[in-house]
């Protein structure tokens, strides 16, 4: 059912949305004719254990997110599913590709399938067949894209292309160049970029580059009142790469004032990972958040700061808050703490594992 593929084949598939958008006239073909080579997104990796709830079926959670109505959620799920070489994962990625309308998510699905070294041959043949039947020049242009594209200057040129797909592929590919000049170029483009999905790829590339110079510009964009929720989510995810007290303080502000529950939940998870004591009280206050998912993340994050006083507070919270999912999170967090007095209380509550 599935056959291994190589990066050139995937690059060909990734190129077709770009070519279809710019096809027809000679614009893209002239660009390719100047010797441009294959454009592909970076091959990002994520440690999903860092942000998925403990005790759950991670694959099932990611497959559920793959069908979310939010583009960034689907993109993140597609990327992380590339870490699991399971039949159900491969099936889910292929089915989602057929339904997907977002070029960003489609590209990430193909990257994940390539990472898993599997490809639905029918899907690949269909994309190639539909593209090749449109225009002979289109096939010639696609063949040019099969060449290696490793010239940084050409990728910089992609960043100013009028086609958002070209800009997205260039921004993703530049993540392979671990130099500050690349980070500075991406930051400049981020300031003027008007495409949401290109901006998300730029932010992810900046996080992968890992240079400290990107932190302040990302924080500034996060705090801009005009930055919409999906972009804020992407920036918070990027800030996960920079364990720093100034980042922690920015995330604490997200807990207090961000209107989006996914942003608040992700901020809580990262604060738990960072472990700065300054986050303890804001996370305790987050236990009263109206969103169940946020409260669960707050409980999990508080596990980092656990002591007997906090454990007893969570036991009292268990009695009054009343949500079963939150209670399960409390049980798991306290069970990991392992204090005998707390464990005795868990037994009384019939929660001991």
């Amino acid at each position: 059912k599935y056959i291994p593929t190589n990066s050139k084949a995937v690059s060909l598939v990734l190129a077709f949305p770009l070519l279809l958008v710019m096809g027809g006239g000679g614009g893209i073909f002239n660009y390719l004719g100047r010797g441009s080579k294959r454009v592909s997104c970076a091959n990002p990796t994520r440690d999903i254990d860092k942000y998925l709830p403990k005790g759950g079926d991670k694959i099932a959670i990611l497959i559920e997110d793959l069908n979310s109505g939010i583009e960034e959620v689907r993109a993140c799920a597609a990327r992380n599913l590339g870490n699991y070489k399971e039949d159900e994962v491969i099936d889910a990625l292929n089915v989602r590709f057929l339904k997907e309308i977002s070029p960003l998510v489609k590209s990430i699905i193909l990257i994940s399938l390539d990472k898993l070294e599997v490809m639905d041959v029918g899907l690949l043949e269909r994309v190639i067949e539909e593209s090749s039947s449109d225009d002979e020049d289109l096939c010639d242009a696609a063949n040019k894209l099969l060449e290696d594209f490793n010239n940084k200057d050409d990728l910089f040129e992609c960043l100013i292309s009028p086609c958002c797909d070209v800009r997205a592929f260039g921004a993703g590919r530049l993540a392979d160049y671990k130099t500050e000049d690349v980070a500075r170029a991406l930051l400049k483009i981020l300031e003027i970029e008007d495409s949401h999905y290109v901006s998300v790829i730029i932010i992810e590339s900046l996080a992968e580059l890992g240079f400290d110079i990107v932190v302040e510009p990302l924080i500034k964009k996060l705090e801009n009142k005009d930055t919409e929720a999906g972009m804020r989510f992407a920036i918070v995810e990027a800030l996960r790469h920079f364990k720093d007290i100034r980042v922690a303080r920015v995330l604490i502000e997200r807990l207090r004032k961000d209107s989006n529950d996914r942003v608040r939940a992700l901020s809580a998870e990262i604060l738990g990972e960072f472990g700065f004591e300054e986050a303890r009280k804001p996370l305790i206050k987050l236990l009263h958040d109206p969103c169940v998912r946020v409260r669960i993340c707050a409980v999990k994050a508080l596990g980092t700061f656990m002591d007997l006083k906090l454990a007893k507070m969570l036991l009292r919270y268990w009695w009054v808050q009343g949500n079963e999912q939150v209670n399960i999170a409390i049980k798991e967090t306290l069970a990991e703490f392992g204090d005998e007095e707390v464990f005795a209380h868990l037994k009384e509550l019939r929660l001991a594992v």
Side-chain angles (χ1 to χ4, degrees):
K1 186 176 179 181
Y2 305 108
I3 62 169
T5 186
N6 55 44
S7 59
K8 287 191 174 182
V10 172
S11 299
L12 173 61
V13 178
L14 286 173
F16 281 117
L18 179 159
L19 295 171
L20 289 172
V21 172
M22 298 293 291
I28 187 65
F29 303 130
N30 292 336
Y31 174 79
L32 292 167
R34 296 203 304 269
S36 298
K37 302 176 182 178
R38 174 171 55 96
V39 182
S40 65
C41 287
N43 188 15
T45 59
R46 292 259 194 267
D47 180 3
I48 69 166
D49 291 323
K50 287 184 176 180
Y51 71 93
L52 284 180
K54 295 179 181 177
D57 183 340
K58 293 172 183 175
I59 292 179
I61 292 170
L62 288 170
I63 290 176
E64 180 181 352
D65 280 356
L66 189 64
N67 295 290
S68 165
I70 303 173
E71 181 187 47
E72 291 76 26
V73 177
R74 298 198 304 277
C76 191
R79 185 155 294 179
N80 285 298
L81 283 169
N83 296 319
Y84 296 90
K85 195 169 185 177
E86 303 286 345
D87 287 343
E88 62 180 318
V89 170
I90 298 167
D91 288 337
L93 288 171
N94 278 291
V95 169
R96 183 67 237 176
F97 185 89
L98 295 175
K99 300 177 181 177
E100 188 54 59
I101 60 173
S102 163
L104 168 65
V105 180
K106 277 193 169 187
S107 297
I108 293 175
I109 289 174
L110 290 171
I111 290 171
S112 289
L113 289 171
D114 185 43
K115 182 178 178 181
L116 294 171
E117 298 183 339
V118 295
M119 179 66 73
D120 184 330
V121 65
L123 172 64
L124 186 58
E125 289 178 347
R126 192 191 75 159
V127 173
I128 295 174
E129 180 180 354
E130 289 179 355
S131 299
S132 63
S133 63
D134 289 336
D135 197 315
E136 184 177 346
D137 290 334
L138 186 63
C139 293
D140 293 338
N143 288 329
K144 290 183 175 68
L145 288 175
L146 289 176
E147 302 175 41
D148 290 333
F149 196 153
N150 287 316
N151 186 304
K152 188 164 62 173
D153 291 336
D154 286 341
L155 290 169
F156 281 146
E157 187 175 347
C158 284
L159 294 178
I160 58 174
S161 167
C163 174
C164 63
D165 287 308
V166 176
R167 299 197 303 276
F169 293 138
R173 187 69 179 83
L174 279 168
D176 291 342
Y177 295 87
K178 310 295 183 183
T179 59
E180 285 197 8
D181 66 320
V182 169
R184 294 182 191 281
L186 290 174
L187 286 171
K188 288 181 179 179
I189 295 299
L190 184 61
E191 291 178 2
I192 60 174
E193 181 56 59
D194 58 1
S195 165
H196 177 81
Y197 93 87
V198 175
S199 296
V200 168
I201 292 178
I202 292 173
I203 291 167
E204 292 181 347
S205 292
L206 288 169
E208 289 181 46
L209 289 170
F211 292 109
D212 193 59
I213 60 170
V214 312
V215 174
E216 289 300 333
L218 288 178
I219 290 175
K220 182 179 179 181
K221 191 167 186 65
L222 177 64
E223 294 178 337
N224 188 321
K225 62 182 179 63
D226 296 325
T227 302
E228 52 84 36
M231 190 76 69
R232 298 199 304 274
F233 183 88
I235 294 172
V236 169
E237 174 63 39
L239 290 174
R240 186 197 293 272
H241 294 254
F242 304 93
K243 185 177 180 179
D244 186 283
I245 188 62
R246 59 183 169 157
V247 173
R249 287 170 180 163
V250 168
L251 296 181
I252 288 171
E253 279 300 300
R254 290 297 104 195
L255 300 184
R256 293 171 177 159
K257 68 181 185 182
D258 203 292
S259 61
N260 184 269
D261 54 39
R262 292 187 64 85
V263 175
R264 297 196 304 276
L266 182 60
S267 298
E269 291 171 5
I270 297 172
L271 287 168
E273 293 169 14
F274 284 4
F276 292 114
E277 184 65 23
E278 199 169 321
R280 178 199 286 253
K281 288 184 179 179
L283 286 169
I284 291 174
K285 290 182 180 179
L286 203 65
L287 294 175
H288 302 288
D289 192 278
C291 175
V292 170
R293 179 172 188 167
V294 174
R295 299 203 299 274
I296 290 173
C297 291
V299 169
K300 295 293 187 180
L302 284 168
T304 304
F305 308 93
M306 191 61 66
D307 54 26
L308 187 56
K309 182 179 178 181
L310 182 55
K312 288 181 177 179
M313 185 275 293
L314 284 177
L315 283 171
R316 291 194 298 271
Y317 179 64
W318 184 91
W319 283 108
V320 300
Q321 68 83 30
N323 182 275
E324 183 179 352
Q325 291 176 296
V326 178
N327 281 344
I328 291 173
I330 294 172
K331 175 194 70 174
E332 294 175 347
T333 302
L334 292 177
E336 289 179 6
F337 178 45
D339 183 88
E340 291 184 5
E341 184 177 347
V342 173
F343 197 71
H345 282 292
L346 288 173
K347 283 186 175 180
E348 291 176 12
L349 296 172
R350 298 183 179 180
L351 290 172
V353 293

